């Protein structure tokens, strides 16, 4: 059964991940209720055109994205341990974000 689960999840990961289509969609569906202007976490606004720039430059001690060590990216750590607060993203969505970071976190 676990092989079937892995196969299904792999199929759901796009070959070429697009920030504007795939990553923003994940944020829009799961994150912007808190990460918007006037939201609970206004330090990272994921509902604006500035979301990409914020991910690469903001963060308390380092940017949210670490393309040299993707699994140490603040964004990846937070979505695998505590975000969103109502329940973590599905595994395939986390895999999409990680793959995007591994591919260089391009703004495409």
């Amino acid at each position: 059964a676990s092989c079937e689960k892995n196969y299904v999840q792999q199929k759901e990961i796009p070959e070429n991940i697009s920030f504007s289509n795939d990553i923003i969609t994940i944020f829009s569906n799961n994150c912007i209720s808190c990460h918007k202007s006037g939201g609970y976490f206004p330090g990272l606004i994921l509902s604006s055109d500035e979301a990409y720039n914020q991910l690469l430059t903001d963060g308390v001690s380092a940017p949210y994205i670490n393309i040299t060590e993707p699994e140490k990216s603040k964004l990846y750590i937070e979505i695998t341990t505590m975000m969103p607060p109502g329940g973590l993203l599905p595994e395939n969505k986390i895999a999409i974000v990680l793959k995007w970071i591994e591919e260089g976190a391009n703004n495409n």
Side-chain angles (χ1 to χ4, degrees):
S2 65
C3 289
E4 275 181 37
K5 182 179 174 186
N6 288 337
Y7 174 75
V8 169
Q9 288 176 352
Q10 289 293 1
K11 247 182 120 171
E12 294 175 7
I13 299 172
E15 189 170 320
N16 297 311
I17 297 174
S18 162
F19 179 76
S20 59
N21 293 327
D22 303 305
I23 302 303
I24 286 293
T25 299
I26 292 170
F27 292 160
S28 294
N29 292 335
N30 302 281
C31 309
I32 63 169
S33 61
C34 294
H35 291 279
K36 64 182 178 183
S37 182
Y40 295 111
F41 301 102
L44 178 61
I45 307 299
L46 296 173
S47 61
S48 72
D49 292 335
E50 292 297 312
Y52 180 80
N53 292 332
Q54 286 188 349
L55 288 170
L56 293 181
T57 59
D58 291 349
V60 175
S61 59
Y64 287 94
I65 303 296
N66 181 343
I67 58 174
T68 57
E69 296 180 276
E71 291 184 1
K72 291 185 179 179
S73 293
K74 183 176 181 177
L75 175 66
Y76 178 74
I77 292 168
E78 290 192 5
I79 66 171
T80 57
T81 60
M82 66 176 98
M83 294 289 162
L88 298 180
L89 296 172
E91 288 180 28
N92 68 314
K93 301 299 182 197
I94 293 171
I96 290 170
V97 172
L98 180 60
K99 184 177 177 191
W100 172 68
I101 297 169
E102 289 171 342
E103 292 176 345
N106 296 310
N107 188 9
N108 53 354

